[in-house]
Amino acid sequence: MRWPTSPSPLAGSGATLPDSVLVDVMRDTGASVGLLYLLPPTDRVLHLVLAGGVSGQIAAPWARIPLDAAIPVADAVRERSMVWLGSQEDIARRYPRLGIVLPYDFMLAAAPITSDGTVWGGVVLLWPVWHPPQLSTAEEDSINACCRRAAAIMHRTADSGHRLKPPDEPRLLPAPQPREADPVQATAALDFTARLPVGCCALDLDGRLTFINPAGTDLVGAPTGSLLGNRPWEVLPWLRDPVFEDRYRAAVVSRQPTSFTARRPPDTWLLFQLYPDASGISVHITPADTHPAATTPQRPAEPIGATALYHLTHLATALAEAAGVHDVVDLAADQIVPAFGPKALALLTVKDGRLHITGYRGYSPELMARFDAAPLTSDTPAVHAITTGTPAFFPTFTDLKRAYSPAVHQDEMASWAFLPLIVSGRAVGSLVLAYDQPRTFPPAERALLTSLAGLIAQALDRARLYDAKHALAHGLQTGLLPRTLPHIPGLDAAARYRPASHGIDIGGDFYDLIPCTNETATVAIGDVQGHDPTAAALMGQIRTAVRAHATTGSSPGDVLARTNRLLCDLDPGLFASCLIAHLDPAHHRVRLATAGHPPALLRHPDGHTDTLRLPPGLLLGIDPDADYPTTEIPLPPGSILALYTDGLVETPGIDIDEATTALAAHLAATQADSLEALADFLLDHAEHAAPRNDDIALLLIRSRE
């Protein structure tokens, strides 16, 4: 069999990512499923671009993966190393969310796509359990080659000035096609299946029926026309028990034969045996001799399908890890729209007596602006859902218009669900789901959507509290940093502070620019151990002490020694790194001393950049008698001194000296016109190169020519 290939566009980039990037590695490694992710610049979400060997429904929960999620590909990207899971037990132990949503036997590898220190995305491959317990050297080489090829394409796209942007939906690779069949043999095969006294049919990877023989239609009691092109469990009421859909999912993901029995009313028991491969599933249907003891009993009419149940479980576990309101909105939109069928979604929250649009998918900004800030006294279905606490379902536009004629605006949708978001009896908002096809909303679906709304409401309530604490924490921290930098004759300065991208902890990073005389100034940068209010308070004390000692004209080494003695006397149980530089632009000199801090960088006027390896000094707060040597070096006119905290260069799996050397190279290479632009360039490059989980402080000083 062969895989058809075609380019997969990177939206808005003018570039294409050939399907063969994924097809080749799946073929060379024998992987049954492949997923390829893109990490756009400055984004912290992996976007699924290509998927092979699996249906869109099964891949839907993994279409967008936050970098801080406990998911194999996110770990591979963060740590820049391959993740291998050799058994279902490994998956359940290390990644319980994955084990819950895909409780099948398979092996998995996830690898980062990187080049020149930049992370572009990741690739995920799955194998059946008959694969050996470890990857072979040839397989690892194939995976690495795939990652290098994808990285080269993405790198060229970025270098050409195009913005890497994922498509709205991932491209699903077509199933591999068999060789052209001989017409005579094809006819003979059809005749053969027609003569069989047992049923046989074929499903594609999306679960849709592509063929069924006459005995099969007799056994299931439905004509061929009503079956072809449909999923059997969606058109045969007696197969709507989730067990059938679950066995189909198991066959696709694990590539192992599986079976189940079902009762066709009134009392005919049938055995279904599923045999999967890369192109689809062959199903063998025979009468079951007796009622199997292990068979799941028939459920009430219109049960919730297995895929919907797994999606609900996945959403629940993902929302449990969501931090802020933005995370909740993104997760809800990214999971519900592809997994549960709506074409559009709007999430609204209550604030100051009005209903505000918090997030949406599938709707236009103009339409959302029309309904934003609607008062809770307005006669709209979204408001009514909140004030009554009762969900409302409208199968047609006629139904909606009949109930809310004055407030209805036709949005080209066919059906709607308006769900209240209630926490402990208190309304926090409403969820609007819109479908582009008429929908009857049977009881099981209404129950499922109501459960979704409950999960989102609880997550929103937690997220709003998180956001409030986050704002308070970082407001306190930034309040301890200089609001503006003073003007120093002969010097230009630019500073940046970026808090850690995740968590509400307060960091201890600080910087300062201190005028000393009319012609000199002292700059300081440091990092207090820990991320809590104690670290922030100590940071404020250290910055105050440095400022007080620097203004007396003391050398950088003396300033550090005095600050160190103060910190030892306070005995807070925390340590701090610090680097101090005394600048004399009139004489083009700078004196520096360090207390265990990352080295400063000096870019010369001709562009070449030195890493200033100073005589080492102990961290502040360890030894009250520690000595901090001062080093004096030239500061040529037009040169730039860069001071930073370790958050700018520290990356898991990367030697910090290598990262510092890479930072110096980027400082040397940039052609930024101003210090402000240069500061932004260095931060953006660092955040694109790898996820950052620590605060970053950056201070740039340029000696004027």
Side-chain angles (χ1 to χ4, degrees), residues 249-531:
R249 286 166 51 90
V252 171
V253 174
S254 70
R255 292 292 198 271
Q256 294 188 88
T258 185
S259 65
F260 71 97
T261 57
R263 181 174 64 87
R264 195 195 87 191
D267 55 7
T268 300
W269 286 91
L270 298 175
L271 171 64
F272 293 81
Q273 296 170 288
L274 284 68
Y275 300 92
D277 73 358
S279 63
I281 302 172
S282 296
V283 183
H284 189 227
I285 311 169
T286 55
D289 293 335
T290 57
H291 179 343
T295 298
T296 303
Q298 286 295 106
R299 303 199 176 200
E302 300 293 351
I304 299 172
T307 296
L309 290 173
Y310 283 125
H311 286 335
L312 182 63
T313 302
H314 182 271
L315 180 61
T317 56
L319 287 174
E321 298 176 3
V325 170
H326 179 76
D327 291 343
V328 172
V329 171
D330 279 350
L331 280 168
D334 294 336
Q335 294 295 317
I336 292 176
V337 170
F340 295 95
K343 188 69 174 179
L345 168 152
L347 200 153
L348 305 92
T349 53
V350 176
K351 182 179 180 182
D352 300 330
R354 292 182 176 272
L355 202 53
H356 294 271
I357 305 293
T358 305
Y360 59 91
R361 286 285 192 282
Y363 280 125
S364 67
E366 294 76 19
L367 182 62
M368 291 294 94
R370 177 187 176 100
F371 292 99
D372 194 25
L376 291 181
T377 55
S378 58
D379 186 22
T380 65
V383 169
H384 189 261
I386 292 176
T387 55
T388 64
T390 304
F393 301 91
F394 301 97
T396 68
F397 179 69
T398 301
D399 296 323
L400 179 60
K401 188 172 179 62
R402 184 184 303 119
Y404 296 96
S405 181
V408 165
H409 176 77
Q410 178 64 49
D411 56 9
E412 299 182 355
M413 296 297 173
S415 299
W416 295 262
F418 295 87
L419 308 164
L421 304 178
I422 307 294
V423 178
S424 302
R426 176 174 56 90
V428 298
S430 64
L431 176 65
V432 181
L433 303 177
Y435 302 80
D436 59 352
Q437 299 294 327
R439 205 171 186 91
T440 59
F441 297 109
E445 184 174 11
R446 296 187 180 207
L448 174 67
L449 296 179
T450 302
S451 298
L452 283 175
L455 291 173
I456 293 170
Q458 294 175 23
L460 268 179
D461 198 46
R462 293 192 304 268
R464 293 166 88 171
L465 178 60
Y466 175 95
D467 283 347
K469 291 181 177 179
H470 188 273
L472 178 62
H474 287 286
L476 170 61
Q477 181 168 28
T478 54
L480 294 172
L481 296 172
R483 291 186 178 275
T484 60
L485 296 176
H487 172 72
I488 306 294
L491 297 175
D492 295 320
R496 294 289 185 275
Y497 169 74
R498 294 255 178 108
S501 57
H502 186 70
I504 63 171
D505 294 335
I506 306 173
D509 291 19
F510 68 93
Y511 62 85
D512 208 349
L513 174 57
I514 308 157
C516 296
T517 68
N518 291 335
E519 296 182 342
T520 64
T522 294
V523 292
I525 195 160
D527 186 0
V528 178
Q529 173 193 18
H531 290 81

Side-chain angles (χ1 to χ4, degrees), residues 81-124:
S81 62
M82 188 179 297
V83 173
W84 169 253
L85 300 171
S87 68
Q88 189 176 14
E89 182 180 348
D90 279 352
I91 294 170
R93 183 180 68 253
R94 296 176 58 185
Y95 298 98
R97 188 204 300 183
L98 180 61
I100 290 172
V101 180
L102 293 174
Y104 314 119
D105 285 330
F106 60 89
M107 298 177 176
L108 180 149
I113 297 173
T114 64
S115 66
D116 296 335
T118 297
V119 181
W120 301 101
V123 64
V124 178

